Amino acid sequence: MTEHTNGARGDFADFVRVEVPTLTRAAYLMTGDRHHAEDLVQTTLARVAVRWDHVDEPAAYARRVLYTQSVSWWRRRAARVSETLTARVPDQPRLDTDVDVAVVLERALHRLTPRQRAVLVLRFFEDRTESETAELLNCRIGTVKSQTRHALRRLRELSPDLAQLEMDR
C-alpha cells in the first residue's frame, strides 16, 4: 500500500492503479461476491474522485468509504430480506482440506453483521490496530473490541470445526 500525501500524491489514475487490488480484496472479503465487490470498489473510487482535491489521505479515505458503503448496502438489503436463525447448528462434515476451511470460513463470515465482518477484515486481514480500525469505521475503540469479541464468538458457534481444525494443527 502506497501512502498518498498532498505534496507528492500524484494523480488519481496513479492512485487507482496502486489501491484497486487492495480495495478489491477487502471488498470481496466483506461481500463474498466478486461482482458486488467490484461494484463496491467502483462506488468507492467515484466518491474519492469527487473529493480528490480535498482529502489529505486518499487511501485512508477510500477505505473508510469502502467499509461504510458495504455496511450501508447490507443495511438496505437486511431491510428487504429477513433471515431465520435456528437454535441448533446443523451437523457438518469434518473439514479435511484448506479449501474446505476456506469455504466454511467464507460462509460463516457472511452470516456475521456487516460491521462485525468489517472489523474482522480490518483487524485480521489488513492487520490494523484497534485504534486504526475505530478511526476507519468512525466508532470507538470499545466498539471495535466488542464487535471483534462478538464476531469471533459467532464464528466459533457457526463453524465449530474451524476451532477443532486449528487445535489439530
Side-chain angles (χ1 to χ4, degrees), residues 97-147:
T97 68
D98 288 340
V99 173
D100 292 337
V101 171
V103 169
V104 170
L105 181 58
E106 182 177 345
R107 287 181 184 155
L109 281 171
H110 294 300
R111 295 187 60 196
L112 298 176
T113 68
R115 185 165 292 249
Q116 288 173 341
R117 194 169 34 255
V119 166
L120 291 183
V121 169
L122 285 166
R123 292 283 289 124
F124 301 110
F125 174 71
E126 291 194 6
D127 201 26
R128 301 279 183 165
T129 65
E130 290 169 341
S131 60
E132 289 172 329
T133 301
E135 184 178 328
L136 284 168
L137 294 176
N138 197 25
C139 65
R140 292 190 213 139
I141 292 175
T143 302
V144 170
K145 290 178 180 181
S146 67
Q147 290 292 311

Side-chain angles (χ1 to χ4, degrees), residues 1-44:
M1 186 172 5
T2 302
E3 201 56 41
H4 300 277
T5 61
N6 261 349
R9 176 175 17 199
D11 66 1
F12 184 70
D14 292 336
F15 172 79
V16 170
R17 268 190 293 285
V18 170
E19 296 297 330
V20 160
T22 303
L23 291 171
T24 303
R25 279 191 304 272
Y28 178 76
L29 286 171
M30 290 189 312
T31 64
D33 178 84
R34 183 174 57 97
H35 299 293
H36 181 62
E38 290 170 354
D39 290 345
L40 188 57
V41 170
Q42 289 301 314
T43 300
T44 298

